[in-house]
Amino acid sequence: MRSLRTGLSLTGLVTAAALLLTAPAAHAADTPLRDLASAKGKVIGTAVTGSKLTGTYGDIAGAQFSSLTPGNAMKWGTVEPTQGSFNWTEADQIVAFAKAHNQQVRGHTLVWHNQNPSWLTNGTWTSAQLGTLLQNHITTEVTRYKGDIAAWDVVNEPFNEDGTYRSTLWYNGLGSGYIANALTWAHAADPAAKLYINDYNVEGVNAKSTALYDLVRSLKAAGVPIDGVGLQAHLILGQVPATLQQNIQRFADLGVDVAITELDVRMQLPATDASLAQQKADFKSVTAACAAVTRCVNVTVWGFTDSDSWVPGTFPGYGAATPYDENYAPKPAYYGISEALGGTTTTPPPSTGACSATYSVVNQWNSGFTGQVTIACSGASLSSWKATWTYGAGQQITQAWNAGCTQSGAAVTCTNASYNGTVPDGGSVTFGFNASWSGSNPVPTVTLG
Ligand code: XIL
């Protein structure tokens, strides 16, 4: 496990920032994922929750990703909970954030069998009424965001595992033609948006992905506006399909774009160093498969932090499925994505390999905070130490104890006091400090040297 939760109960204000983070074995590659992706002509995205786009969550979403997908905000049940009464609040918020951060938005999703409003699912409709409802829904939503959406997941999850059409409100009421109609209506409302069909368990070559392939081929042959295929990629640890790249390539060869739209890799909890290492390999191979195919344009993770993932609530006993842990520390999976996009990961020198530094915010108030760093050794020892980190949001150390700390710009260097340079095998040393902050107080990565 790379992170722990504290059970700290301090008198005074203990904010949600009272975190305990173990410095990753490899420290954060300096280049944000979005810059690495862009150098390869790719877009890197994440699903987001609109209300969370402030503080550290907003900082990471804005800095690391070049595309946002609303996790729920654009689904029919969210935008029209009561017939004729619309709620665009969260969707608007995400679109505005994306504009402010020079990001694309993937619209998700217009036609699905889940998360529809109950007035729709409980209603009794003739086929003609159902078609009109669907056309109006698509026209209203796509028109509202015309010019703001790079790509729409127009139809979501239309197939069963065996490649037959899923029996849904839409298929049962309208027949398979609902797919071509939905694409045509969406195109009429925003001709510039790329229009996708999106599904899960279609990452490798199999019966379901072949049905999708056949559908896309026939839609293209019929002149229906179809621009892309979304491979959701909700994967299980160690189960990236061997035919992923081949499958991406065959769709590309049909003349459509491909996107990995909802990547996560779930594992049984608790996570271990071994499962996190496997997860890194899985994120890396999925990202690399997309990077290898020119028409694979976007890799989007379904939530970038384990604190904002659908997995624990949907797959009991599973979790830790995203590239950042619950405390916003990048996990090995983050470096897997980074490496697949050409980033380099530096590993610490062997002499400190078995000693690690743990940074925590133990108390925080409106302008200041108290932090501490614990240096712990196992299988190694230190006779002197130096801990360094870079503050990402203008934090400034004002006072330190049990160490000598200096700060130059954002760079902090703390060295041992005369009496605590020795960290024995199996032992630890802690020092503390007060610092100022404003805006946000992201946790830095501490390097031991
Ligand atoms: C999930 C959301 O992440 C959850 O918050 C919600 O409760 C259920 O839906 N395939 C999709 C996504 O296309 O829309 C789903 O998102 C995950 C599976």
Side-chain angles (χ1 to χ4, degrees), residues 80-220:
E80 197 185 4
T82 303
Q83 189 170 14
S85 153
F86 295 90
N87 183 353
W88 306 106
T89 312
E90 193 194 345
D92 285 356
Q93 191 176 12
I94 292 168
V95 169
F97 184 98
K99 277 187 190 159
H101 294 83
N102 193 24
Q103 295 168 309
Q104 294 186 0
V105 178
R106 286 191 57 86
H108 177 83
T109 174
L110 297 169
V111 192
W112 195 24
H113 58 278
N114 279 334
Q115 294 181 275
N116 286 319
S118 52
W119 64 261
L120 174 67
T121 51
N122 293 341
T124 306
W125 315 104
T126 65
S127 179
Q129 287 171 323
L130 202 57
T132 302
L133 283 167
L134 185 59
Q135 180 172 9
N136 287 342
H137 168 65
I138 290 172
T139 304
T140 302
E141 183 153 358
V142 176
T143 302
R144 181 178 179 87
Y145 295 109
K146 182 178 178 184
D148 294 334
I149 305 292
W152 271 106
D153 289 332
V154 176
V155 178
N156 201 30
E157 304 180 348
F159 288 110
N160 294 316
E161 298 305 292
D162 65 359
T164 56
Y165 284 108
R166 187 190 287 270
S167 161
T168 69
L169 172 68
W170 309 116
Y171 181 74
N172 297 339
L174 301 170
S176 64
Y178 83 90
I179 296 175
N181 282 336
L183 290 160
T184 303
W185 294 328
H187 183 69
D190 185 355
K194 301 287 186 195
L195 305 183
Y196 280 64
I197 302 173
N198 189 50
D199 215 325
Y200 64 92
N201 288 351
V202 292
E203 293 76 27
V205 174
N206 57 36
K208 191 174 184 179
S209 66
T210 298
L212 178 57
Y213 178 87
D214 291 341
L215 171 63
V216 170
R217 190 173 47 185
S218 71
L219 289 170
K220 282 202 73 89

Side-chain angles (χ1 to χ4, degrees), residues 21 66 85 181 289 354 405 440:
L21 295 178
S66 46
S85 153
N181 282 336
C405 293
S440 68

